[in-house]
Amino acid sequence: MTWGTRSVIRRWVQGAVMIVGFGVCALVLGEAAGVSAGVGASLLGVLLAVLPLGVVVPAFLWLDRFEAEPTRLLVLTFLWGALVASAGALVLNTSTMVVLRNAGQDPLTLGAVVVAPVVEETLKGLVVLLIWRLRRQEFDGIVDGMVYAGLSAAGFAFAENIFYLARAFHDTGGAGLATVFLLRGVMGPFAHPVFTICTGIGLGVAATTRRTSTRVLAPLLGWLAAVTLHATWNLTTVAGIQGFLVAYVFLQVPLFAAFIGVALWARRREGRLIGVHLAPYAEAGWLTYPEVRMLASMPDRRRARVWARMTGGRRSLAAMTAFQDVASELAVLGMRVARGAGGPEAPAREEALLRDLAARRREFAGTVLT
């Protein structure tokens, strides 16, 4: 059996394992939702739980604009949060509540404040850790960590919202359903993502350093921050609607503002790094300095695509978009080489990207710098 054949078989086996695993988790969640609230209420919960995703998911895709991650990994990350992390949390949280009840403890308070944050942040962040360790070529820093963590948490929140919405409709009808949707879908759609991106930031820091201590401590501190914020949020919401409103004003709103600030800083930082690592190619003649400035700025990239569309139509726009994507890959390769993670294939990859860069320029401009 050749190496290529083994590689194909391995990919098919991995795909089959993932499909079966996701399927089992979906069955567990579906059965639990049906038992607790009924099929009709659960379907209504699904319909309403989808709505916040129309805001949350685009926010993280916006953050992932400079060097977009593979679609398959983004989808996998979301499904992990929605199925694997949710099913795992359901089993572990429920089992722990039974143990606490049998021990004479308050299962609701201890479960919500102590157990759930640890279990849920661990399961949501685990997929980000796996991508960092197993797909290092697709994990290049803080932005990547935030995107993967945010999508995993968005998937988890989607599944959790289905349960809360279905139970509210089953127990209290339309009024309860509207209240839960307002509190979770309108006022708090970013709660889970904001917690989990702390883990993503920690893993992103670890991915960009050679120091062993930092590679260990940064993810641990990020996870601890995620658990602490989650626990604090749950502690205040246990107090009822008044506690939720207090937590919303004094915790959720400041956290969301901080999230926006960190996201803007991280995206600007990524643009600066792209400019830094593309500058040597301008010195060597592969790029012009105005092109480097354009590639390091998202507004300038948009203006360049508008120019390409107006001057050369759709083919020119496609070529400009590809030119920008290839340049981002080239800059990311430079970042990996700079931190000693380029690998032996880096020179060949660099040469291929430079040829592709020149070809894309020929398509939208008709000239090649040599």
Side-chain angles (χ1 to χ4, degrees), residues 280-354:
Y281 298 104
E283 296 174 3
W286 286 100
L287 291 165
T288 66
Y289 287 101
E291 284 175 337
V292 172
R293 287 193 294 271
M294 177 270 289
L295 292 165
S297 166
M298 193 55 68
D300 287 348
R301 286 187 176 212
R302 285 194 294 268
R303 283 189 283 269
R305 292 195 295 271
V306 171
W307 169 83
R309 177 70 175 86
M310 293 177 64
T311 57
R314 293 183 179 179
R315 289 188 60 186
S316 181
L317 172 61
M320 174 60 76
T321 302
F323 176 81
Q324 294 175 351
D325 292 341
V326 172
S328 293
E329 290 186 45
L330 188 63
V332 168
L333 178 63
M335 297 179 202
R336 294 176 191 147
V337 171
R339 62 174 184 262
E345 72 281 1
R349 178 61 177 159
E350 179 188 43
E351 183 179 350
L353 288 172
L354 288 172

Side-chain angles (χ1 to χ4, degrees), residues 1-11:
M1 183 180 295
T2 65
W3 172 256
T5 303
R6 291 178 179 177
S7 179
V8 170
I9 293 175
R10 184 171 62 251
R11 287 197 297 270

Side-chain angles (χ1 to χ4, degrees), residues 66-87:
F66 269 114
E67 197 270 317
E69 303 310 309
T71 301
R72 67 184 186 280
L73 281 183
L74 299 179
V75 173
L76 174 67
T77 303
F78 179 86
L79 291 177
W80 175 283
L83 298 175
V84 179
S86 297

Side-chain angles (χ1 to χ4, degrees), residues 260-283:
I260 294 175
V262 171
L264 292 173
W265 167 81
R267 205 165 95 144
R268 284 195 296 267
R269 176 179 177 272
E270 189 172 41
R272 288 196 298 270
L273 288 174
I274 285 176
V276 167
H277 288 281
L278 289 180
Y281 298 104
E283 296 174 3

